[in-house]
Amino acid sequence: MAFGIKRKELDQWKEAVTRGEIAFLTHFWFDPRFPQFHSVTKVGCSDMERLGAWCEANGLNPRYIHDRESFPHYDLIGPKQIEILQKEGLGEHIERFKLC
């Protein structure tokens, strides 16, 4: 379940994904499989080749891309989430969702 974001943020992420851009959406999240983490960053792109290449360039296995019909994405959690948000210049995500 996603929470802590506004509809406009979600809509902007969806629009960017649909255009084939690499887009980032961080939100609060709970999954009982990962109780130590409280947020996830969805890295989306409708161009599966581009998303796969982005994963590989960042040391991530493209096999774990969630191949959703309209909004394919890779879920980032934990230390890798922070590392990539920093690398992408998205420090506001780290601050807003208290990742450090």
Side-chain angles (χ1 to χ4, degrees):
M1 174 176 282
F3 50 101
I5 58 172
K6 294 181 171 66
R7 169 59 65 182
K8 183 178 179 179
E9 292 171 289
L10 178 60
D11 290 343
Q12 289 172 334
W13 180 81
K14 287 180 174 181
E15 289 169 8
V17 170
T18 300
R19 288 190 302 266
E21 298 173 18
I22 298 290
F24 298 83
L25 180 71
T26 302
H27 59 79
F28 288 117
W29 164 84
F30 176 75
D31 187 315
R33 296 172 298 167
F34 308 102
Q36 69 274 34
F37 302 119
H38 66 274
S39 69
V40 63
T41 297
K42 296 188 175 302
V43 182
C45 182
S46 61
D47 181 336
M48 289 292 287
E49 277 188 43
R50 184 174 186 193
L51 184 56
W54 181 90
C55 288
E56 290 175 353
N58 285 282
L60 303 167
N61 188 337
R63 186 175 93 197
Y64 296 107
I65 292 172
H66 295 270
D67 189 5
R68 301 293 192 265
E69 189 172 312
S70 299
F71 305 105
H73 65 277
Y74 191 100
D75 288 335
L76 296 173
I77 59 174
K80 196 67 171 179
Q81 176 187 19
I82 295 167
E83 173 191 325
I84 290 176
L85 288 172
Q86 289 172 332
K87 179 180 174 186
E88 295 288 338
L90 298 170
E92 69 272 8
H93 290 230
I94 295 169
E95 292 174 22
R96 179 177 173 193
F97 295 96
K98 299 175 178 42
L99 301 179
C100 286

